[in-house]
Amino acid sequence: MDRAQLADFLRRSRARLAPCDVGLAAGTRRRTPGLRREEVAQLAGMSADYYTRLEQSRGPRPSRQILGSLARALRLSEDERDHLFHLAGEEPPRDARDTGGAGGAGHVRPGLLLVLDRLDDTPAQVVSDTGDVLAQNAMAAALVGDAASRPPGDRNIVRRFFLDPATRELFPPGDRAEHARRHVAHLRAVLAARPEDARAAALVGELRCRSAEFAGLWEEHEVGVRRADVKRFQHPVVGLMELECEVLLSAEHGQRLIVYTARPGSESYERLRLLRVVGLQDLAVR
């Protein structure tokens, strides 16, 4: 691990980004160009103290998960991401399908992140084909919860649906059985396409052991890749919303950009507008 060069690369990568580049408000006048350390830490889902120590050449060796999070937060290209891994003494991910699996690095291309950052008035997030939330905008965090606030291994939407009762509360009771079936059918399709994917296999193995519902659905052998859909969300503050889920695929990376919209003039549309106000205020307080 080259601590000095790692620190320098982090500082220079941070300095070249403006708040608008990552979907943040400019806020008060800044003494120096670029993002603040606290903003990078927030985007990467780590403590500001830990990130500061990395920039000061005195932090512990970062894990592969942390390096992947930093690469996304700093909008690094794949070559820059590989450089970051090398400076930390790690071998970069080599498989183009290495999208995070059950908690891996999950590099998201800067172009995809740029689109995500421009969607400031509607929820949107980048999800791996096995269900890991790799990046999300503030509206998505307000809708389904802030993935960056959770440990890397706890950012998988399939795992959370079957193992976390609070996640299921986001959906009306009558819709949950169908969501469960679709999650299992999609995951089976992914594993069949990539039987050598150890992360996908580990996720399936874990859920078959810990969730009787998942295990029962798995035995039914339904297959179906999730694409465009309509979902109902039972938000605890703004209430029930029916949202159209548009899915943009990035096949070579196994990633999906999911955008949630409501029909203009509908009650769901007005509630989504309200979510932008109350939800983003709540995130700002935290």
Side-chain angles (χ1 to χ4, degrees), residues 12 22-23 37 99 126 131 147 168 186 211 224 240 254:
R12 292 179 183 276
V22 296
R37 288 172 174 168
T99 59
V126 179
R168 298 176 80 95
H186 177 85
S211 169
L240 183 66

Side-chain angles (χ1 to χ4, degrees), residues 61 64 67 81-82 85-86 88-94 98:
R61 181 174 177 172
R64 296 179 65 82
L67 293 170
R81 176 207 61 184
D82 290 356
F85 271 70
H86 284 138
E90 290 282 352
E91 185 68 16
R94 294 303 180 192
D98 183 10

Side-chain angles (χ1 to χ4, degrees), residues 43-63:
L43 292 168
M46 63 174 55
S47 73
D49 177 68
Y50 179 67
Y51 179 76
T52 298
R53 284 184 286 153
L54 287 177
E55 278 205 5
Q56 294 176 344
S57 305
R58 60 186 182 89
R61 181 174 177 172
S63 67

Side-chain angles (χ1 to χ4, degrees), residues 91 101 103 113 154 214 226 282:
E91 185 68 16
L113 289 172
D154 197 28
F214 182 94
R226 303 201 73 165
D282 181 57

Side-chain angles (χ1 to χ4, degrees), residues 253-274:
H253 287 257
Q255 297 172 0
R256 300 173 291 157
L257 173 61
I258 306 175
V259 182
Y260 304 91
T261 61
R263 182 168 52 84
S266 66
E267 187 174 13
S268 294
Y269 181 81
E270 296 304 320
R271 289 180 176 178
L272 197 58
R273 292 179 62 187
L274 179 61

Side-chain angles (χ1 to χ4, degrees), residues 11-275:
R11 287 193 298 268
R12 292 179 183 276
S13 298
R14 175 170 61 86
R16 73 184 182 184
L17 289 173
C20 61
D21 294 329
V22 296
L24 297 176
T28 57
R29 184 175 181 180
R30 295 166 183 256
R31 295 192 299 270
T32 57
L35 298 178
R36 299 187 176 102
R37 288 172 174 168
E38 304 80 48
E39 291 169 333
V40 174
Q42 177 187 355
L43 292 168
M46 63 174 55
S47 73
D49 177 68
Y50 179 67
Y51 179 76
T52 298
R53 284 184 286 153
L54 287 177
E55 278 205 5
Q56 294 176 344
S57 305
R58 60 186 182 89
R61 181 174 177 172
S63 67
R64 296 179 65 82
Q65 290 80 11
I66 289 294
L67 293 170
S69 296
L70 284 172
R72 292 192 295 274
L74 294 169
R75 304 314 192 239
L76 301 184
S77 67
E78 290 191 8
D79 290 339
E80 292 168 333
R81 176 207 61 184
D82 290 356
H83 183 62
L84 177 69
F85 271 70
H86 284 138
L87 291 177
E90 290 282 352
E91 185 68 16
R94 294 303 180 192
D95 188 348
R97 295 189 301 259
D98 183 10
T99 59
H107 183 67
V108 183
R109 289 176 301 161
L112 201 55
L113 289 172
L114 180 63
V115 175
L116 182 68
D117 294 334
R118 295 298 184 267
L119 296 171
D120 60 353
D121 61 348
T122 189
Q125 56 186 8
V126 179
V127 181
S128 77
D129 59 3
T130 52
D132 288 296
V133 178
L134 305 177
Q136 60 182 178
N137 63 9
M139 281 289 285
L143 176 65
V144 298
D146 185 5
S149 67
R150 308 183 189 116
D154 197 28
R155 298 175 187 174
N156 185 280
I157 59 176
V158 183
R159 177 188 287 110
R160 291 183 62 84
F161 182 86
F162 284 99
L163 302 182
D164 178 19
T167 297
R168 298 176 80 95
E169 294 296 324
L170 291 172
F171 307 100
D175 297 355
R176 295 170 193 170
E178 181 62 22
H179 283 310
R181 300 188 74 88
R182 291 187 180 187
H183 278 313
V184 176
H186 177 85
L187 195 54
R188 184 176 272 282
V190 171
L191 189 59
R194 298 205 309 274
E196 77 289 350
D197 190 329
R199 292 192 179 116
L203 176 61
V204 170
E206 177 192 7
L207 292 175
R208 291 181 73 182
C209 288
R210 299 181 60 187
S211 169
E213 180 186 22
F214 182 94
L217 290 171
W218 187 261
E219 293 305 316
E220 295 184 16
H221 210 124
E222 290 190 18
V223 179
V225 176
R226 303 201 73 165
R227 296 185 175 89
D229 198 359
V230 176
K231 286 185 180 179
R232 296 196 302 165
F233 292 86
Q234 186 66 56
H235 193 273
V237 177
V238 303
L240 183 66
M241 290 180 288
E242 184 174 279
L243 303 180
E244 296 182 8
C245 307
E246 292 296 333
V247 180
L248 305 179
L249 298 176
S250 175
E252 68 275 17
H253 287 257
Q255 297 172 0
R256 300 173 291 157
L257 173 61
I258 306 175
V259 182
Y260 304 91
T261 61
R263 182 168 52 84
S266 66
E267 187 174 13
S268 294
Y269 181 81
E270 296 304 320
R271 289 180 176 178
L272 197 58
R273 292 179 62 187
L274 179 61
L275 178 67

